[in-house]
């Protein structure tokens, strides 16, 4: 939540009647719990490393302490949804190569990793103790005051918080009313505290504008290069394929024109075969640019058509039938095409599967195969180009391909503006 939005939320006249104070209390309480757990884990790791002090034990301890902010930050980004309605994205990039080594190298080089570690230290050592103390006095004190009439027993007197000596029910109800006033007044500082924590979390745990701009620039540059390579491929296919067949067709028809009888009939028959081959090549070329079945019948039918043309048996399971935005369908279609082409060329797989579903305003497509694995996004431009294509619509591409298989390619594309009916 931005500072201006936080101030506008606090300045609302109906703040007490809204859900924001309740969400703020939930955010503070869960933050205290997370902070206590993180502090306990950090102390446990430090004690383990200092007692054992062995290389084989020390290295995992150091890695856990150094990169421990990554899972904590992922949890905190999810916890932001309690109080902050704005979408929260991860600042981390997807490793170009599979495996833990590539993941560690990339995380070590990212500034976001160290910001997350700093936030984790603040949460464990500063934020949760302060929030616990403020929430304790801000909530417990007025609640105890409100419950004063219930605590006045047969003696008719009670010491409230060891501060006020209350005699009889009239004074007890007066203290209860005062507790309600204190609780109402406490809502504002507690909500402000929760909003300040949320703004700090968003500042440290979400992508910076300069990082997003740099990644966007790199992605756009790769896309321009990929589109230029695609243009040259189409030009080459037209020149070497359909154009050559049309030239050969023209020559065959010319010979048929100068011939007669049985020889002319054979030449016309040969020209007919060449015309069908030229049409097939042009049809394949058009399908590679944008298939008509995708435009006419939508993504499920287009994916089924791709699976039918794959040399590797493919099982398709799509859990929606409504049309999605054209850009989303096109990107998902070409991701599946490229993935199945890679399966046929490199994976030595016996079978593959394509699963597609739409939930929560997001299209998810998964391509699996039982091949040899070892797919590497840095070894060529295919997977990198798919990642760039997906990033155009703020989507994500994730690859899991350990040596020996299986391989899983997962694509998530947001399309919240379109929610298909079930």
């Amino acid at each position: 939540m931005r500072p201006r939005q936080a101030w506008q939320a606090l300045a609302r006249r109906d703040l007490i009647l809204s859900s924001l104070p309740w969400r703020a209390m939930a955010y503070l309480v869960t933050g205290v719990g997370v902070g206590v757990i993180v502090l306990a884990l950090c102390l446990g790791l430090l004690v383990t490393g200092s007692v054992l002090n062995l290389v084989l034990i020390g290295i995992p301890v150091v890695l856990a302490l150094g990169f421990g902010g990554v899972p904590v930050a992922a949890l905190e980004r999810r916890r932001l949804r309690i109080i902050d309605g704005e979408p929260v994205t991860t600042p981390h990039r997807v490793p170009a190569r599979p495996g833990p080594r590539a993941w560690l190298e990339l995380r070590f080089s990212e500034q976001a990793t160290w910001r997350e570690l700093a936030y984790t230290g603040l949460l464990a050592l500063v934020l949760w103790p302060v929030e616990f103390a403020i929430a304790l006095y801000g909530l417990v004190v007025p609640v105890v005051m409100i419950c004063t009439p219930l605590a006045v027993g047969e003696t008719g007197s009670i010491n409230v918080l060891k501060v006020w000596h209350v005699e009889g029910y009239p004074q007890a109800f007066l203290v209860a009313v005062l507790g309600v006033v204190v609780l109402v007044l406490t809502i504002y500082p507690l909500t402000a505290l929760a909003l300040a924590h949320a703004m700090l979390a968003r500042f440290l745990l979400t992508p910076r504008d300069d990082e997003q701009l740099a990644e966007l620039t790199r992605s756009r540059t790769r896309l321009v290069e990929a589109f230029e390579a695609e243009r040259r491929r189409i030009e080459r296919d037209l020149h070497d394929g359909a154009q050559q067949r049309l030239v050969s067709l023209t020559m065959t028809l010319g010979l048929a024109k100068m011939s007669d009888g049985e020889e002319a009939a054979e030449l016309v028959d040969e020209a007919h075969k060449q015309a069908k081959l030229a049409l097939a090549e042009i049809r394949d070329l058009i399908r590679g640019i944008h298939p008509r079945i995708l435009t006419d019948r939508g993504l499920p039918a287009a994916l089924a058509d791709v699976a039918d043309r794959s040399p590797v048996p493919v099982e398709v399971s799509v859990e929606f039938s409504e049309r999605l935005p054209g850009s989303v369908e096109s990107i998902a279609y070409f991701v599946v095409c490229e993935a199945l082409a890679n399966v046929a060329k490199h994976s030595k797989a016996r079978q593959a599967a394509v699963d597609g579903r739409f939930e929560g305003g997001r299209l998810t497509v998964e391509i699996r195969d039982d091949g040899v694995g070892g797919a590497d996004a840095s070894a060529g431009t295919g997977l990198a180009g798919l990642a760039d294509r997906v990033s155009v619509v703020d989507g994500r591409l994730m690859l899991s391909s350990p040596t020996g298989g299986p391989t899983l390619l997962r694509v998530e594309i947001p399309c919240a503006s379109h929610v298909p009916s079930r």
Side-chain angles (χ1 to χ4, degrees):
M1 183 175 293
R2 309 301 179 187
R4 184 175 180 180
Q5 293 173 327
W7 169 249
Q8 291 175 345
L10 286 174
R12 291 173 52 181
R13 296 182 177 179
D14 61 342
L15 175 64
I16 299 177
L17 302 178
S18 68
S19 64
L20 181 58
W22 298 103
R23 290 186 284 116
M25 298 307 108
Y27 187 72
L28 290 177
V29 171
T30 55
V32 170
V34 173
V36 171
I37 294 174
V38 171
L39 179 60
L41 291 176
C42 290
L43 292 177
L45 288 173
L46 287 174
V47 171
T48 302
S50 61
V51 171
L52 298 176
N53 197 21
L54 299 174
V55 174
L56 294 178
I57 301 298
I59 290 177
V61 169
V62 171
L63 291 176
L65 289 173
F67 293 94
V70 176
V72 174
L75 175 61
E76 287 296 289
R77 280 190 288 269
R78 288 183 174 273
R79 208 166 60 83
L80 271 175
R81 300 177 184 176
I82 299 175
I83 194 172
D84 194 347
E86 292 187 19
V88 182
T89 58
T90 176
H92 295 295
R93 302 193 304 272
V94 178
R97 307 186 309 275
R101 181 176 179 179
W103 186 89
L104 290 174
E105 289 176 353
L106 179 60
R107 295 296 175 263
F108 184 81
S109 63
E110 289 180 317
Q111 294 183 1
T113 302
W114 307 109
R115 293 201 305 268
E116 291 174 348
L117 183 60
Y119 175 85
T120 302
L122 284 174
L123 179 64
L125 300 176
V126 179
L127 293 178
W128 83 261
V130 172
E131 293 173 354
F132 175 74
I134 295 176
L136 179 66
Y137 284 98
L139 294 176
V140 173
V141 171
V143 169
V144 170
M145 295 173 64
I146 293 173
C147 295
T148 300
L150 301 177
V152 175
E154 296 179 355
T155 59
S157 64
I158 187 176
N159 289 323
V160 181
L161 299 172
K162 297 183 179 181
V163 176
W164 301 296
H165 182 75
V166 176
E167 292 284 351
Y169 283 103
Q171 293 184 12
F173 281 110
L174 181 61
V175 172
V177 172
L178 182 61
V180 172
V181 175
V182 172
L183 181 61
V184 171
L185 295 177
T186 306
I187 286 177
Y188 287 89
L190 288 178
T191 304
L193 178 63
L195 291 175
H197 186 163
M199 286 189 290
L200 176 64
R202 178 175 285 276
F203 176 75
L204 292 177
L205 305 181
T206 57
R208 299 288 182 86
D209 292 339
D210 54 346
E211 294 176 350
Q212 290 180 315
L213 180 60
E215 179 60 27
L216 183 64
T217 302
R218 289 192 295 267
S219 176
R220 295 300 185 269
T221 301
R222 292 192 297 265
L223 277 176
V224 170
E225 295 173 352
F227 289 150
E228 179 63 20
E230 183 70 9
R231 185 192 64 80
R232 290 195 297 268
R233 182 192 68 80
I234 294 173
E235 181 181 1
R236 184 177 62 252
D237 290 346
L238 284 173
H239 181 272
D240 298 339
Q243 180 177 330
Q244 294 299 324
R245 291 200 179 277
L246 290 175
V247 170
S248 178
L249 172 62
T250 302
M251 295 176 61
T252 302
L253 289 176
L255 292 175
K257 185 178 180 180
M258 293 184 295
S259 303
D260 53 11
E262 185 177 347
E263 181 181 3
E266 292 178 354
L267 290 172
V268 170
D269 183 62
E270 178 65 22
H272 181 250
K273 294 178 181 179
Q274 293 176 357
K276 290 195 295 183
L277 290 174
L279 286 174
E281 289 188 358
I282 294 174
R283 190 180 299 111
D284 291 339
L285 183 62
I286 293 174
R287 183 185 291 115
I289 298 173
H290 191 84
R292 185 164 186 81
I293 188 174
L294 182 63
T295 303
D296 294 343
R297 299 175 56 189
L299 184 60
L303 294 183
D305 179 66
V306 174
D308 290 339
R309 291 186 283 107
S310 173
V312 178
V314 180
E315 181 180 351
V316 179
S317 175
V318 179
E319 299 180 3
F320 64 93
S321 58
E322 297 291 332
R323 295 301 300 266
L324 298 175
S327 59
V328 173
E329 289 189 338
S330 177
I331 290 173
Y333 173 82
F334 284 108
V335 166
V336 173
C337 288
E338 180 70 20
L340 292 181
N342 289 337
V343 169
K345 292 178 183 177
H346 309 297
S347 72
K348 300 180 183 179
R350 294 190 298 268
Q351 60 182 4
V354 177
D355 298 323
R357 59 184 180 275
F358 184 95
E359 56 186 8
R362 183 178 296 269
L363 172 66
T364 302
V365 179
E366 295 180 346
I367 304 96
R368 298 181 178 86
D369 69 75
D370 59 355
V372 297
D376 188 352
S378 64
T381 60
L383 291 174
L386 289 181
D388 292 334
R389 189 190 289 262
V390 170
S391 68
V392 170
V393 289
D394 296 328
R396 295 199 308 166
L397 183 144
M398 292 156 283
L399 174 67
S400 173
S401 183
T403 302
T407 296
L408 170 62
L409 182 67
R410 178 187 176 96
V411 176
E412 296 180 355
I413 305 175
C415 39
S417 60
H418 179 92
V419 180
S421 58
R422 299 295 179 183

